[in-house]
């Protein structure tokens, strides 16, 4: 019989009993609905131990990579320590190592966290504002192999956290951070699959991590990167992305601007129409879409209607309010 | 062998979800009911629905169906919309090469929950 540990308490799981039934039998409430492995509302995470493969049936590969499983169809074969899917992690301090402007409204911060953070390139962390109560999410542009966390912060009018990070925080200061979470990252389940990456504004941050992660993991399929902004001054990392494209034949980079002239190799027009024209058929593609939620949702729908499978679309939209 | 197994189980549901959801969103007559919803969550619900009408494992109750669709009925969801959904289900199955008699079985399961979904 396996032992299930949850929130510091251990429970004996009877033979043929699922993790969900075991916990409920011990009066431990876990959200659930269909109890047949379909609705995914009882998703949990294995902190210690490995759940049987069948308990991950139907989960997106990014969730499997983070050891998630469905409690209602998980008959454990070994002891497991489990937590809820959304369990909040601990806050920790991170020192600001570097601060520089990427363009007129985006600042780049590089942080050294107090403890090492396990993360996948493209996930996000939370940061507390000066008041200690406002919290905002920012995507990581760094790779786990780099010895700092990199964030791209856009200044938002009246934004409590973004203005604090832009105007007050200095190199050497400490920030309260928590992380990392999110489903927008690379997995090498199909290294030959063509990838389409669409970033709007600071939506480039997670993609900059995902692109370099895919290259580091020897992705062989083509990688098409589109970065959209209102006008050329809103773009950034143009040279970095051009260099990556020069170094890797499989990678192409297209900056898109709505107004004015696009930089060399770029296109003038709204990024959604540009992508629609360049990729009328997305069957078989894996698509990553990041940035302002309204644009992300609309591009997501367009990519799905153009043939990309729902399971192949990854996005992390944030509200920048 | 159950209908669900005959249809190919979970793999066939996965294949059907994208096709079915894409057809529904392409149909202006019903697409408005899906505006502003989280597409990933919605695809999960479509999967649960398709698993059920394929005769697969499910634990959904009429009450769930009623509660889950009440806000849409309030917005005007009615039999004519339901007929559209059934038509999309039919063409999805046909596209996947499912035979006519099996399609009919699936449609009758889907039709059996109509009164719950439409809160009648």
């Amino acid at each position: 019989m396996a032992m299930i540990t949850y929130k510091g308490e251990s429970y004996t799981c009877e033979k043929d009993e699922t993790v969900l039934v075991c916990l409920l039998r011990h009066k431990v409430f876990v959200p659930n609905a269909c109890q047949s492995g379909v609705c995914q509302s009882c998703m949990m995470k294995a902190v210690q131990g490995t759940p049987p493969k069948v308990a991950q049936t139907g989960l997106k590969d990014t969730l499997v990579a983070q050891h998630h499983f469905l409690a209602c169809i998980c008959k454990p074969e070994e002891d497991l320590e489990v937590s809820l899917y959304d369990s909040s992690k601990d806050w920790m301090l991170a020192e600001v190592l570097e601060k520089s402007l990427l363009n007129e409204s985006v600042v780049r911060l590089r942080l050294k966290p107090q403890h090492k953070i396990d993360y996948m390139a493209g996930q996000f962390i939370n940061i507390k504002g000066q008041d200690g109560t406002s919290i905002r999410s920012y995507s990581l542009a760094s790779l786990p192999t780099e010895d700092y966390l990199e964030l791209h912060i856009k200044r938002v009018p009246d934004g409590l956290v973004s203005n604090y990070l832009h105007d007050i925080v200095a190199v050497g200061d400490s920030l309260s951070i928590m992380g990392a979470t999110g489903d927008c990252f690379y997995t090498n389940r199909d290294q030959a699959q063509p990838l389409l990456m669409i970033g709007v504004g600071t939506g480039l941050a997670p993609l900059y991590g995902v692109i370099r992660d895919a290259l580091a993991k020897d992705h062989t399929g083509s990688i098409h990167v589109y970065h959209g902004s209102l006008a050329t001054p809103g773009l950034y990392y143009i040279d970095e992305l051009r260099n990556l494209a020069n170094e890797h034949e499989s990678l192409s980079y297209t900056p898109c601007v709505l107004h004015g002239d696009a930089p060399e190799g770029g296109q003038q027009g709204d990024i959604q129409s540009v992508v629609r024209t360049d990729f009328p058929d997305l069957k078989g593609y894996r698509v990553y879409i990041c940035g302002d939620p309204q644009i992300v949702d609309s591009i997501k729908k367009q990519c799905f209607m153009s043939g990309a499978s729902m399971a192949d679309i990854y996005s992390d939209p944030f509200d920048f309010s | 062998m159950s209908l669900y197994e005959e249809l190919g189980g979970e793999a066939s549901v996965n294949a059907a979800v994208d096709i079915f959801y894409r057809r529904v969103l392409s149909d202006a007559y019903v697409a408005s009911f899906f505006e502003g919803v989280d597409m990933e969550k919605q695809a999960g619900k479509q999967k649960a629905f398709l698993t059920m009408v394929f005769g697969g494992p499910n634990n959904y109750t009429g009450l769930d169906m009623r509660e889950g669709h009440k806000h849409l009925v309030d917005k005007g969801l009615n039999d004519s919309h339901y007929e559209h959904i059934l038509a999309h289900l039919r063409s999805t199955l046909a596209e996947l090469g499912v035979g006519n008699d099996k399609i009919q079985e699936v449609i009758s399961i889907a039709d059996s929950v109509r009164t719950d979904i439409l809160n009648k």
Side-chain angles (χ1 to χ4, degrees):
Chain A
M1 275 178 298
M3 295 297 287
I4 307 297
T5 306
Y6 175 66
K7 287 190 175 169
E9 299 282 336
S10 292
Y11 308 97
T12 308
C13 194
E14 299 294 335
K15 189 175 179 297
D16 270 343
E17 193 174 46
T18 63
V19 171
L20 179 65
V21 170
C22 169
L23 292 172
L24 294 177
R25 183 167 58 80
H26 288 96
K27 309 266 184 282
V28 179
F29 179 73
V30 174
N32 69 88
C34 82
Q35 302 204 0
S36 51
V38 175
C39 74
Q40 304 191 352
S41 36
C42 67
M43 184 155 55
M44 299 189 89
K45 178 174 179 159
V47 184
Q48 282 286 337
T50 309
K53 265 258 155 298
V54 65
Q56 296 177 316
T57 306
L59 293 189
K60 205 162 178 169
D61 55 350
T62 46
L63 293 169
V64 172
Q66 296 173 91
H67 314 294
H68 289 102
F69 66 95
L70 301 175
C72 73
I73 52 167
C74 179
K75 294 178 179 170
E77 289 153 4
E78 57 181 278
D79 292 355
L80 293 179
E81 184 180 343
V82 301
S83 67
L84 277 186
Y85 169 54
D86 255 336
S87 72
S88 53
K89 303 188 177 183
D90 290 333
W91 289 94
M92 69 169 91
L93 291 175
E95 187 194 337
V96 179
L97 296 177
E98 191 214 286
K99 179 177 178 178
S100 54
L101 275 177
L102 293 177
N103 66 31
E104 56 192 8
S105 64
V106 177
V107 72
R108 177 177 79 187
L109 294 183
R110 285 181 172 169
L111 311 177
K112 183 179 178 2
Q114 193 179 5
H115 310 291
K116 192 180 176 332
I117 291 187
D118 274 330
Y119 72 95
M120 316 274 190
Q123 288 193 304
F124 61 87
I125 60 170
N126 291 322
I127 299 188
K128 276 188 191 168
Q130 196 174 17
D131 57 10
T133 51
S134 310
I135 297 167
R136 294 290 179 274
S137 301
Y138 293 101
S139 290
L140 294 161
S142 46
L143 295 178
T145 48
E146 291 170 322
D147 47 13
Y148 49 78
L149 304 175
E150 176 172 318
L151 309 168
H152 302 162
I153 319 280
K154 184 178 170 59
R155 189 197 287 278
V156 176
D158 300 322
L160 279 173
V161 180
S162 67
N163 284 300
Y164 160 64
L165 295 174
H166 269 259
D167 298 336
I168 298 169
V169 164
V171 171
D173 287 356
S174 283
L175 298 172
S176 253
I177 68 164
M178 184 182 72
T181 44
D183 297 331
C184 190
F185 57 83
Y186 178 79
T187 64
N188 51 5
R189 65 179 154 95
D190 181 359
Q191 288 179 296
Q193 191 174 21
L195 308 182
L196 173 60
M197 314 235 181
I198 306 160
V200 181
T202 46
L204 181 64
L207 297 184
Y208 191 61
V210 176
I211 295 161
R212 293 183 303 142
D213 191 34
L215 292 171
K217 288 176 175 151
D218 298 322
H219 188 79
T220 55
S222 55
I223 305 176
H224 309 271
V225 181
Y226 286 75
H227 186 205
S229 179
L230 202 55
T232 297
L235 296 168
Y236 62 89
Y237 271 8
I238 297 177
D239 290 338
E240 284 82 351
L241 289 162
R242 277 185 183 152
N243 288 342
L244 277 179
N246 287 335
E247 288 162 23
H248 301 272
E249 215 175 308
S250 59
L251 185 84
S252 67
Y253 161 60
T254 311
C256 302
V257 296
L258 195 54
H259 300 293
D261 293 329
E264 202 189 319
Q267 293 201 43
Q268 204 260 316
D270 84 281
I271 189 163
Q272 185 164 358
S273 316
V274 170
V275 169
R276 191 189 294 131
T277 308
D278 288 0
F279 296 91
D281 182 6
L282 283 173
K283 196 167 165 38
Y285 274 76
R286 198 191 308 179
V287 188
Y288 293 83
I289 313 163
C290 300
D292 178 74
Q294 276 187 322
I295 305 173
V296 166
D297 284 346
S298 158
I299 298 179
K300 198 172 177 180
K301 184 168 171 185
Q302 178 191 305
C303 291
F304 176 64
M305 298 311 273
S306 303
S309 168
M310 214 46 220
D312 277 328
I313 301 178
Y314 299 79
S315 64
D316 254 345
F318 297 128
D319 274 313
F320 294 123
S321 53
Chain B
M1 210 193 223
S2 72
L3 175 66
Y4 181 66
E5 285 163 353
E6 280 182 73
L7 287 170
E10 203 213 340
S12 67
V13 173
N14 285 341
V17 169
D18 278 342
I19 302 172
F20 177 63
Y21 192 14
R22 211 171 271 132
R23 283 184 182 276
V24 168
L25 288 180
S26 309
D27 177 357
Y29 191 68
V30 291
S32 63
F33 292 104
F34 296 90
E35 254 163 41
V37 303
D38 180 308
M39 286 184 72
E40 225 158 307
K41 281 193 190 138
Q42 186 57 34
K45 289 179 185 168
Q46 308 270 12
K47 191 177 163 184
F49 175 71
L50 290 172
T51 304
M52 184 195 68
V53 299
F54 279 27
N58 69 85
N59 206 14
Y60 282 80
T61 64
L63 193 65
D64 286 338
M65 285 284 179
R66 286 177 180 268
E67 302 260 309
H69 292 91
K70 194 174 175 302
H71 65 293
L72 297 179
V73 174
D74 291 344
K75 275 203 270 178
L77 185 76
N78 62 35
D79 278 300
S80 59
H81 302 112
Y82 206 74
E83 291 300 334
H84 275 244
I85 298 296
L86 291 183
H88 295 311
L89 182 55
R90 213 175 262 123
S91 28
T92 300
L93 292 163
E95 188 175 329
L96 288 170
V98 176
N100 260 333
D101 46 337
K102 291 278 167 292
I103 293 183
Q104 207 38 55
E105 278 188 68
V106 171
I107 294 295
S108 42
I109 300 178
D111 212 17
S112 71
V113 296
R114 177 199 293 254
T115 51
D116 285 330
I117 289 179
L118 296 178
N119 275 261
K120 289 205 264 195

